[in-house]
Amino acid sequence: MRDAFSRESLRSVSAGFLLPLASARSLRITVLAAIAVTGVVATLRAIGLLTAESLDALRRAIPVVAVPIAAALLAELPIREGLTQRTLLYPLLGPVSRGSLALGRTLWTVALVALGALVASAALFLMTADRSGDWGRECLAIVLGACAYVALFGLLHLVSQRGLVSALALYFLVDQPLAQLPFSIRVLAPSFHVGSLLGRSPSYQLPIQVDTVSVAPVVSALVLLAVSSLAIGWTMRLFSRRDLPELCG
Amino acid sequence: MRTPWIQVEDLHLSRGGRPVLHGVTVSAVGRAVGLVGANGAGKSTLIGALLGVLRPDRGKIRVLGLDVPRDARELRARAGVMAEQAGIFPGGSGVEAVVFSGMLSGLARREALRRAHRALDALEVGEERYRGTREYSTGMRQRCKLAMALVHDPEILILDEPTVGLDPPGRAQFLALLRELRDGGRRLLLSTHLLPDAESVCDELLLLDAGTVGYSGGLDSLRRASRVEFSAEGPGLDDAFAAALGANGVAARVIDAAAGSAASLRFDGGAEALSSFWRLAAERGAAVRRLDRDSPELEDAVLEAMGVSHPR
């Protein structure tokens, strides 16, 4: 692991990720989607159909909706995209281990998702009338959410040819519904912890006594970091052992 | 005695549960080693294993004295690779592609740019270096890929099918470039299925045949070890003479019986066959007017090492 932090290794990993980025299909799709959403929001705001409160709600949706969807799209970048576009062969032939390559490229993708979400959130924050909300906490939720979702979905993209579909299915059919349940099992869902960081754990008035645990934000932050570390570690291990017939035919 | 720079011992490697290399043992000392074999013989897999990109099931690999895969990262820092499967850096110009490759080797951008221009100059790539790589001809693309492999000034160059798709003049130019690099002191491992390419550049050959080593050693040794044919001409070298040679264990055939007094005969073998031929000629009073030793083509020698007869 020491090699991952030498200057040469960082240069190698960064160049291998950043320089071919402009031609990455998943990034193009994400950027086009972001431009489209921005255009719709700006138009609605200009014609007065979007109130300041709606912009607030939109901003608050960024960590819990936009980040996981962007992560599902862009989690292809660390490895899968490089395999299908054959841009990963040169980095693999460089003086960096496969594990370091997977780690570095995943962290760059996290940075990309987090940066995009932070910029969008900052823009909406400046446009809203009420700036009393805890924007710092939102930023933390964005960064840690990006970490967890990119790591998890990156792993899915590595093990499945249909990583995007699997990631979206996991988010919409498992993660989101699980986080809404009024039972302790909801602590297994990353989106529950993102909500917890934002101080928005769902609470219920139920006619029966159930254990609806709430979790302190610091615990949620630690859980999200642990999920990220586990998923990245697993990705590194799998990628290090993979046969890669796509590249070394 | 020269020190081997590639040492492989009992290498076994499976891919997708299918054994691709089994029991490969090689020791290469040549400045330029040709890795030849049919498609699917395991050439690319062996290269992957030598670079530590593919993990062997068992066996030992040492390249430049480094233990692979343990020291694979250090080896890759000292090796330039021109991979067949890799495209050029998509979207950019030639010089950007070479800078990209330099940065992948850990060079800072400014240093990578300086070295990229030096590598492209050495390969005589002019103003074309500023054009998009998508517009490049196959020859220019291969030069650019070679510059990408050379940018960090590696000790060894590993080239996987570098002349595929080149027209004859482009191929000749490219092989001349490789010879210059070899003569300049770099060690080369040239993987190719084109034997004339290996013959033109390499002094040593590693023949892979269905995942095993068919031959490993110098090109001259391979030719010497392979079947040598002699053709002889003169009165008395007729069917009876060929049959007598055959009785002595030397396969012989008359190729021009119509010449009458100056019949031609061809026979296979080495020094012993030649000795039997002279002994028989003396016994039977045959006057040998001409005796030629036909040096085998490399292709014949390789086919023989693979146990395949040449379809003449």
Side-chain angles (χ1 to χ4, degrees), chain B residues 41-58:
Chain B
K43 301 192 296 288
S44 297
T45 301
L46 180 60
I47 288 178
L50 290 176
L51 288 165
V53 177
L54 299 175
R55 207 166 272 273
D57 303 331
R58 69 170 197 267

Side-chain angles (χ1 to χ4, degrees), chain A residues 3 11-12 94 96 98 248, chain B residues 15 53 73 76 85 87 104 106:
Chain A
D3 83 293
R11 268 196 206 123
S12 176
V96 183
R98 280 205 208 174
C248 314
Chain B
R15 307 196 64 189
V53 177
R73 281 183 287 112
R76 292 201 293 263
Q85 295 95 340
L104 285 179

Side-chain angles (χ1 to χ4, degrees), chain B residues 269-285:
Chain B
E272 279 184 30
L274 198 57
S275 156
S276 300
F277 170 79
W278 284 122
R279 186 170 41 77
L280 264 181
E283 283 172 15
R284 300 172 70 92

Side-chain angles (χ1 to χ4, degrees), chain A residues 21-100:
Chain A
L21 203 55
S23 59
R25 189 195 55 168
S26 53
L27 185 67
R28 285 186 196 167
I29 293 170
T30 312
V31 168
L32 282 176
I35 289 171
V37 170
T38 307
V40 170
V41 169
T43 309
L44 292 176
R45 178 70 175 155
I47 59 175
L49 284 177
L50 212 57
T51 61
E53 290 73 29
S54 310
L55 285 179
D56 257 347
L58 210 57
R59 194 196 73 224
R60 284 196 296 270
I62 287 176
V64 287
V65 179
V67 166
I69 292 175
L73 282 163
L74 293 179
E76 203 179 289
L77 287 175
I79 295 166
R80 173 59 60 191
E81 174 110 14
L83 292 178
T84 50
Q85 303 297 313
R86 290 178 175 269
T87 51
L88 200 58
L89 186 56
Y90 282 117
L92 275 173
L93 295 173
V96 183
S97 69
R98 280 205 208 174
S100 306

Side-chain angles (χ1 to χ4, degrees), chain B residues 3-23:
Chain B
T3 317
W5 62 282
I6 298 176
Q7 288 171 286
V8 178
E9 202 179 304
D10 194 29
L11 176 68
H12 291 255
L13 198 152
S14 304
R15 307 196 64 189
R18 189 179 64 88
V20 180
L21 300 176
H22 18 113

Side-chain angles (χ1 to χ4, degrees), chain B residues 150-166:
Chain B
L150 284 170
V151 66
H152 60 296
D153 204 14
E155 285 171 57
I156 58 170
L157 261 182
I158 296 180
L159 308 129
D160 194 2
E161 303 284 2
T163 57
V164 163
L166 294 179

